[in-house]
């Protein structure tokens, strides 16, 4: 029998403890100078993030969902258009397409739970305007093929990088492959604020300018509204926190990768358990460590009884959610996603996760497999 430990899925307080003094000082400076919305910290963070990524513009916005929406709107995507999205993602990816008036067109996923590039061409029509690859779980999607298809059909690529800060594909950072990349800084993401926050990155001067305006009521200067827009701004406190954390992101991403390697080794030969498939051409920043298991629900309750928290990202493929019933698609339209969503389970993963927790989770899984086989 294992000696019981309590293993949380993530521990955001552990990270705060490691940067407490710097973060507290930064927040207090924002408050004492009343730089609540916009201002010095927001500009500094946007510049630092763009520089670190190696992109010309970073437009800070209110959250990662708005980031995609704003880009699509400013590209002119709207009613009558179609936008290709993967069947597996957080609903933001497809939701924002509908918000513009366009229609999300779902594509089944591959082993990495990314858009299956061999199934994209079949759904391109003369109404298709854009394609949104999602670098799900922190691993870059198959960008060579996506870029090739997008070029052939004249489609915009908007990369959803919400789970993949500083991941790369063939040595190039995600977010830089298409016309724009979008990021979320939701607290649990690899680079997380202490509330909602997001950003758009692009090398396109005109698009950056339009996104910046649109996110701020269509104005660059107060009262000079060039168009109607929305209110989606990054606030000073979030920017100050993000600036402190940006200095450590590569270290934290490395820690995640080390934990993933450790999991991989410990879970290697367990029957019925598949560790995350790694794409040779892509780096993986392990926002999530997702295994596949034949008896997923039993494994989850077993782990729960051993005080190991797990999660499922995500229980249902997007097109099979009630929200998309109107598309009249079923499991047969997305065979890989349907099969995979029954088997995926996300294990605890955060940079500060102690080694003995990783070992404990792996032993608990090994014990589960041994019992089920005997
Ligand atoms: C988190 C997430 C978003 C949305 O980000 P928010 O900041 O929560 O709006 C979009 N896409 C994916 C894949 C995400 O994981």
């Amino acid at each position: 029998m294992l000696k019981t430990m309590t293993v949380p899925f993530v521990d955001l307080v552990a990270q705060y403890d490691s940067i407490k003094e710097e973060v507290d000082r930064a927040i207090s400076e924002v408050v004492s100078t009343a730089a609540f919305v916009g201002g010095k910290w927001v500009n500094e963070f946007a510049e630092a993030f763009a520089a670190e990524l190696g992109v010309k513009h970073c437009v800070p916005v209110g959250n990662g969902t708005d980031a995609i929406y704003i880009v699509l709107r400013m590209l002119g995507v709207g009613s009558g258009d179609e936008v290709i999205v993967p069947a597996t993602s957080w609903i933001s990816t497809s939701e924002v397409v509908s918000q513009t008036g366009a229609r999300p067109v779902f594509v089944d996923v591959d082993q990495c739970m990314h858009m299956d590039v061999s199934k994209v061409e079949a759904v391109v029509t003369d109404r298709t305007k854009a394609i949104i690859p999602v670098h799900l779980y922190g691993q870059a999607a198959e960008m060579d093929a996506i870029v090739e298809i997008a070029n052939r059909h004249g489609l915009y690529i908007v990369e959803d990088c919400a789970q993949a800060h500083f991941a790369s594909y063939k040595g190039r950072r995600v977010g830089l492959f298409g016309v724009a990349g979008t990021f979320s800084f939701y607290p649990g993401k690899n680079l997380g604020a202490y509330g909602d926050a997001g950003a758009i990155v692009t090398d396109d001067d005109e698009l950056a300018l339009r996104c910046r305006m649109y996110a701020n009521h269509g104005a660059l200067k107060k009262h000079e509204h060039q168009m109607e827009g929305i209110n989606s701004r990054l606030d000073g406190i979030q920017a100050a926190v993000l600036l402190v954390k940006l200095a450590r992101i590569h270290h934290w991403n490395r820690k995640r990768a080390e934990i993933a390697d450790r999991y991989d080794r410990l879970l290697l030969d367990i029957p019925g358990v598949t560790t995350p498939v790694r794409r040779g051409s892509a780096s993986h920043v392990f926002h999530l460590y997702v295994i596949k298991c034949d008896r997923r629900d039993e494994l989850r309750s077993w782990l729960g009884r051993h005080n190991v928290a797990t999660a499922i990202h995500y229980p249902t493929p997007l097109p099979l959610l009630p929200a998309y019933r109107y598309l009249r698609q079923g499991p047969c339209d997305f065979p890989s996603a349907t099969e995979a969503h029954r088997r995926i389970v996300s294990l605890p993963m955060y940079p500060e996760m102690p080694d003995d927790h990783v070992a404990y989770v792996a032993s608990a899984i090994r014990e589960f497999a041994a019992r089920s086989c005997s």
Side-chain angles (χ1 to χ4, degrees):
M1 265 313 278
L2 296 162
K3 188 176 139 304
T4 305
M5 285 181 168
T6 298
V7 182
F9 188 68
V10 291
D11 183 352
L12 298 180
V13 176
Q15 183 161 96
Y16 170 62
D17 285 342
S18 74
I19 51 174
K20 185 175 182 331
E21 271 175 38
E22 245 182 283
V23 165
D24 288 358
R25 195 178 333 117
I27 292 176
S28 124
E29 275 178 45
V30 174
V31 175
S32 62
T33 57
F36 297 121
V37 174
K40 177 179 156 221
W41 280 273
V42 173
N43 297 335
E44 258 180 51
F45 170 68
E47 275 171 34
F49 189 69
E52 196 55 43
L53 210 59
V55 66
K56 213 162 158 192
H57 305 281
C58 167
V59 180
V61 297
N63 56 71
T65 307
D66 285 355
I68 319 170
Y69 172 69
I70 292 166
V71 170
L72 293 179
R73 277 299 301 263
M74 293 303 97
L75 290 174
V77 172
S79 175
D81 296 334
E82 293 175 358
V83 176
I84 297 172
V85 297
T88 300
S89 186
W90 176 240
I91 193 166
S92 302
T93 314
S94 50
E95 192 176 50
V96 294
V97 172
S98 309
Q99 275 165 20
T100 68
R103 175 184 158 104
V105 175
F106 294 98
V107 173
D108 203 5
V109 295
D110 62 20
Q111 287 192 89
C112 301
M113 305 300 280
H114 293 147
M115 183 185 286
D116 183 338
V117 294
S118 73
K119 297 179 179 172
V120 172
E121 205 97 59
V123 300
V124 174
T125 70
D126 52 10
R127 291 181 297 278
T128 311
K129 273 281 169 60
I131 181 164
I132 311 183
V134 180
H135 307 297
L136 204 71
Y137 304 156
Q139 180 165 227
E142 193 67 76
M143 290 314 296
D144 275 352
I146 290 169
V147 167
E148 207 236 309
I149 294 167
N151 286 345
R152 185 151 8 110
H153 297 279
L155 313 177
Y156 291 121
I157 299 173
V158 179
E159 296 173 74
D160 182 344
C161 309
Q163 301 190 1
H165 312 74
F166 299 100
S168 57
Y169 178 85
K170 297 194 174 168
R172 185 163 169 202
R173 291 263 159 78
V174 301
L176 312 183
F177 285 85
V179 65
T182 63
F183 288 86
S184 165
F185 306 116
Y186 180 79
K189 302 287 160 97
N190 285 32
L191 181 60
Y194 289 174
D196 281 311
I200 297 159
V201 299
T202 180
D203 281 324
D204 185 319
D205 299 341
E206 172 75 18
L207 181 65
L209 191 76
R210 286 172 55 77
C211 290
R212 203 178 293 282
M213 274 200 274
Y214 190 75
N216 193 24
H217 301 293
L220 289 175
K221 283 207 190 117
K222 200 160 196 172
H223 304 307
E224 295 183 12
H225 306 280
Q226 310 295 327
M227 57 174 154
E228 285 186 326
I230 61 172
N231 176 0
S232 184
R233 299 179 293 223
L234 180 63
D235 69 72
I237 291 180
Q238 303 314 333
V241 170
L242 288 168
L243 255 176
V244 171
K245 293 180 114 191
L246 182 62
R248 290 162 176 85
I249 184 63
H250 301 302
H251 168 69
W252 286 328
N253 278 346
R254 263 194 309 278
K255 285 282 168 200
R256 287 174 183 273
E258 282 168 24
I259 293 164
D261 288 347
R262 189 164 295 129
Y263 267 136
D264 274 4
R265 279 197 304 277
L266 295 168
L267 299 173
L268 184 63
D269 50 358
I270 302 184
V273 170
T274 311
T275 55
V277 175
R278 312 238 190 153
R279 221 187 272 297
S281 46
S283 79
H284 198 322
V285 294
F286 284 99
H287 173 56
L288 293 166
Y289 186 88
V290 180
I291 62 169
K292 294 187 183 128
C293 176
D294 300 335
R295 297 161 61 211
R296 192 263 318 266
D297 294 335
E298 282 169 71
L299 173 64
R300 277 198 89 198
S301 17
W302 170 266
L303 289 174
R305 285 202 297 283
H306 287 81
N307 295 332
V308 174
T310 57
I312 297 181
H313 299 88
Y314 298 92
T316 311
L318 291 170
L320 305 187
L321 286 168
Y324 295 105
R325 208 170 279 148
Y326 72 93
L327 292 175
R328 298 177 179 285
Q329 290 185 295
C332 304
D333 298 304
F334 307 97
S336 304
T338 301
E339 195 263 344
H341 279 252
R342 284 200 268 266
R343 301 180 68 225
I344 47 176
V345 52
S346 311
L347 301 183
M349 164 61 80
Y350 59 96
E352 298 77 15
M353 187 174 176
D355 289 354
D356 58 350
H357 281 198
V358 180
Y360 174 75
V361 174
S363 323
I365 295 173
R366 189 170 292 278
E367 209 170 280
F368 169 81
R371 288 168 61 101
S372 343
C373 288
S374 56

